[in-house]
Amino acid sequence: ACVACVTVGARGRSGGEASATRPDATRSTLKATLLAGATDEGACTNERDVRGRFATRDVALVQEVERRMRARVGFGWARWGDAEMKSSARAGSPMRLAVRALMSASATPNCVLNVGVHWLCNGALRNNWNAAMDGVDANDTIGHAFFYLPMGDPGDDDRSTWKENGVDGYINVVREAKRKVILVGPPHVEGLPFIGHSAFVDASGKGMGGDGAADSVVQRIFEIGDAFDEPPVVIMAAGMAAKTAILSAQDRINSKGWGLIDAGTTLDGYAGVKSRDYNDPRVYCRKSRERARDEHDGVDFWFAKGVCEKFGA
């Protein structure tokens, strides 16, 4: 039974289902935190023939990631959706090797693979997943039935609930802890004011990653971060290239305190780009005005210059 549990509702952009968390979660590794009280309540995983183990959305894990950000302890937050499932279907493909490593508790102990498990209800995608995980020791696996690490932004409908459960959002944590940030992504995210990045790496056209296209991006991230006087937090809007970076950074994560976040398309709406249904700049502008908590939480803080004016919002 779960003692002193808290629950976060299944809505917004999470990609996961409701779950409980444990205030005394093990902190030895991130995957140990997830395994400490892992239960799989997902209809697309628990009740179907899906290879590997999964844990339903876990607030304790998110809390531990934020603790590590403040303490400069390493972590990797990777995501796996339908595009990655399709890319990992081919035997020997880089993305197949990636999913097997990221699901492994022994290979990537301080990285968590957040899987959009609702896609596993799709027969073709489930077959792709199972093909990629064929022959893997299930006892060495754990995936998180979740998706985006909470930013603490007003566009997240769960922001107030996260806050009630001790999750500030990684943007707030990074700024309060005065972490140095490397932002990786297309040029339109470079002008976002809320990240406060120390360096930017253009990852345009490198999103497919695993075929070697991302190697130059990963090399540049490491060159910049290694020159800092403290470990950076790397925020990546770089598609599959983000997975390549996280896998390549294992020594930096485990021994040097680097944090790497696969942020995906969560930044686009604030840059004025509607790349998904959920990140409409007009909707984000309205929510930002309605939900502003103080002068540091409004449109001027979250949006690239002129975005809300451009969309008449």
Side-chain angles (χ1 to χ4, degrees), residues 31-86:
K31 283 197 170 80
T33 299
L34 192 55
L35 282 163
T39 59
D40 184 1
E41 301 169 11
C44 297
T45 52
N46 189 36
E47 299 175 7
R48 294 174 182 268
D49 182 23
V50 174
R51 290 176 177 150
R53 293 188 296 172
F54 294 87
T56 301
R57 179 161 76 166
D58 190 352
V59 180
L61 178 71
V62 179
Q63 292 169 336
E64 173 63 6
V65 169
E66 291 199 348
R67 185 196 72 83
R68 287 174 174 238
M69 271 187 262
R70 292 185 174 97
R72 290 162 169 77
V73 177
F75 68 91
W77 183 278
R79 300 172 305 104
W80 209 260
D82 56 339
E84 287 82 5
M85 291 174 189
K86 293 174 183 176

Side-chain angles (χ1 to χ4, degrees), residues 26-35 61 64-65 67-69 72-78 101-114 140 142 149 246-247 249-261:
T26 302
R27 288 180 174 177
S28 55
T29 68
L30 272 189
K31 283 197 170 80
T33 299
L34 192 55
L35 282 163
L61 178 71
E64 173 63 6
V65 169
R67 185 196 72 83
R68 287 174 174 238
M69 271 187 262
R72 290 162 169 77
V73 177
F75 68 91
W77 183 278
L102 289 168
M103 281 287 287
S104 169
S106 57
T108 55
N110 290 303
C111 296
V112 172
L113 186 64
N114 297 270
D140 184 50
I142 186 67
L149 185 65
I246 290 171
L247 283 173
Q250 287 307 294
D251 179 62
R252 290 170 173 85
I253 290 170
N254 295 328
S255 303
K256 300 179 181 179
W258 283 50
L260 289 91
I261 301 170

